[in-house]
Amino acid sequence: MPIVTVESLEAYAAATAGCTRCRLAQGRTQVVFGAGNPHADLMFVGEAPGFHEDKQGIPFVGQAGKLLDRLLAGVELRREDVYIANVLKCRPPGNRDPQPDEIEACEPHLFRQIELIEPKVVATLGNFATKLLSGRPLGITRVHGQEQETALGGRKVLLYPLYHPAAALYTPAMLKVLEADFARLPELLGRELEPVAAPEPELALVAHAEPAEQLGLF
Ligand code: URA
């Protein structure tokens, strides 16, 4: 489907409900667009819907979602305070990893969501979201807990990579790290970010300007 320009997140969600940009459209129950506060300062980006998410149409409703809720409560946030989305909006069969062409097909939806929500902090959960939004190949084990200012959706945001809750569920050491990284979220949300600098005037404009003579300056 073409990437339509709509003003509200709700309208954009409605426009993506019939998306057929990749093969995952064939096996899904429904598009899992995202959920939460459309004006949230904090946005989470996971990997892809699983079995329960595909059935209910809501991200992070399974075991990993319960852990996410608990981590949010630990920093005095509720699901309704934040926005939760995924790199892929449709469930890959058997919960396999997202394929590069599926990520490429789906990423305009995520970027448009970020543009419309205008979050201050984007917390990426796991490798797929972290690599996509940082534009770097560095894995989550190297970069978790290291915030980075970056421009997303035409604005500066603080990108904050975290371990994926599903990975932390069965690995106590990873859960400890995830809890410690999560505990820094209030501090990051309180940070002031400089607006993205206005672009330099384009040289092309100068080159195409009318010669001064023709403008009657001399
Ligand atoms: N894992 C994800 O990455 N996203 C979900 O929505 C659920 C589990």
Side-chain angles (χ1 to χ4, degrees), residues 122-139:
V122 176
T124 50
L125 302 171
N127 266 323
F128 285 95
T130 300
K131 289 182 184 176
L132 176 64
L133 294 184
S134 67
R136 296 194 196 167
L138 298 179

Side-chain angles (χ1 to χ4, degrees), residues 46-50 53 58-61 64 86 164 166:
E47 187 176 309
E53 290 78 18
I58 303 168
F60 283 95
V61 287
N86 283 305
H164 195 291

Side-chain angles (χ1 to χ4, degrees), residues 25-121:
Q26 289 150 30
R28 72 176 178 227
T29 306
Q30 57 196 311
V31 170
V32 183
F33 180 74
N37 178 352
H39 308 293
D41 283 342
L42 173 59
M43 176 170 177
F44 290 91
V45 182
E47 187 176 309
F51 177 85
H52 297 286
E53 290 78 18
D54 172 70
K55 292 281 174 259
Q56 295 184 41
I58 303 168
F60 283 95
V61 287
Q63 285 307 312
K66 294 209 171 71
L67 174 55
L68 184 58
D69 288 345
R70 194 156 68 66
L71 290 162
L72 281 171
V75 289
E76 285 173 24
L77 288 170
R78 296 156 310 156
R79 225 169 228 265
E80 309 85 84
D81 300 320
V82 303
Y83 194 87
I84 306 175
N86 283 305
V87 169
L88 295 187
K89 310 296 187 226
C90 298
R91 182 187 182 215
N95 296 348
R96 64 151 169 76
D97 281 353
Q99 305 285 295
D101 62 330
E102 293 161 359
I103 296 174
E104 202 182 318
C106 207
E107 68 183 31
H109 295 326
L110 178 62
F111 286 120
R112 187 76 185 121
Q113 278 177 312
I114 296 173
E115 259 173 32
L116 290 166
I117 295 165
E118 301 193 328
K120 277 178 155 179
V121 175

